Amino acid sequence: EGRNIYELIFSHNLITGTIPPEYSRLPTLREIWLDHNRLSGNIIEGVPAQIDEVVGRYYRIESYSVRNNSLVGQIPPAVGVLTNLEFLDWSYTHEYGTIPTEIGNLIQLRELHLNHAHFNGTIPTEILNLGQLEVLGLAS
C-alpha cells in the first residue's frame, strides 16, 4: 500500500504515459521526482490536478519535479495549498496559460523553476511573497 513511502524518485528513466493519480494517495509522501522522462498528456490528468480533490494529502509535499517531460496544461491554482513545498520544477514542459497567483502562498519555497515552459501573461507579483525564495528560474 505504500504507507511508508517518503520519496518517489523515477528520474531519468524514459518512463512513458501519464502520471498516475494514485501517487497522490501515498500518505507519507514528501518528494516527487518524475523529471527527465517521457511522460505525456494533459497535466490535468496527473498529480497536480489531483490537488483539488486531495488537499489534505498534499500538504506534506516538500519537493516536486516534472522537469523535461511532454506534459501539457496549466499549473492549477490549487498549487497554493502546498505550503510546505520548498522545491518546485516545471521547466521544459509544455504548460500554457498564466502562472497562477496562488503560487505566492508557497511561503516555504526556496527554488522555483519554470524555465522554457511556454507561459504567457505577466509574472504574478505574489511571487514577492516568497520570503524564503533563493532561486527563481523564468528563462525562455
Side-chain angles (χ1 to χ4, degrees):
E1 293 203 10
R3 295 198 185 272
N4 294 316
I5 296 176
Y6 293 93
E7 296 179 3
L8 186 63
I9 304 172
F10 292 142
S11 302
H12 298 273
N13 282 301
L14 303 178
I15 296 170
T16 59
T18 59
I19 301 171
E22 290 79 13
Y23 292 148
S24 69
R25 297 184 186 106
L26 299 172
T28 57
L29 192 61
R30 299 286 189 282
E31 299 189 17
I32 301 173
W33 299 88
L34 300 171
D35 50 289
H36 298 281
N37 283 295
R38 293 185 180 161
L39 295 170
S40 61
N42 191 317
I43 205 158
I44 298 304
E45 297 169 333
V47 174
Q50 302 300 317
I51 294 169
D52 283 326
E53 299 171 24
V54 291
V55 168
R57 295 181 186 159
Y58 268 102
Y59 75 94
R60 292 186 174 120
I61 298 293
E62 297 170 0
S63 298
Y64 183 75
S65 177
V66 289
R67 177 186 183 95
N68 200 16
N69 279 286
S70 296
L71 298 168
V72 296
Q74 298 184 46
I75 296 177
V79 72
V81 304
L82 302 177
T83 55
N84 288 321
L85 201 61
E86 296 178 8
F87 179 91
L88 178 61
D89 192 346
W90 250 301
S91 297
Y92 297 94
T93 55
H94 300 282
E95 274 74 38
Y96 56 85
T98 60
I99 299 170
T101 58
E102 290 81 359
I103 212 146
N105 296 340
L106 307 179
I107 57 173
Q108 299 299 319
L109 201 62
R110 294 185 183 281
E111 292 189 39
L112 175 59
H113 301 274
L114 301 174
N115 302 302
H116 304 281
H118 310 289
F119 291 107
N120 58 41
T122 60
I123 299 168
T125 57
E126 288 78 3
I127 286 180
L128 298 174
N129 297 340
L130 305 177
Q132 302 295 319
L133 195 64
E134 298 170 356
V135 178
L136 176 61
L138 297 172
S140 65

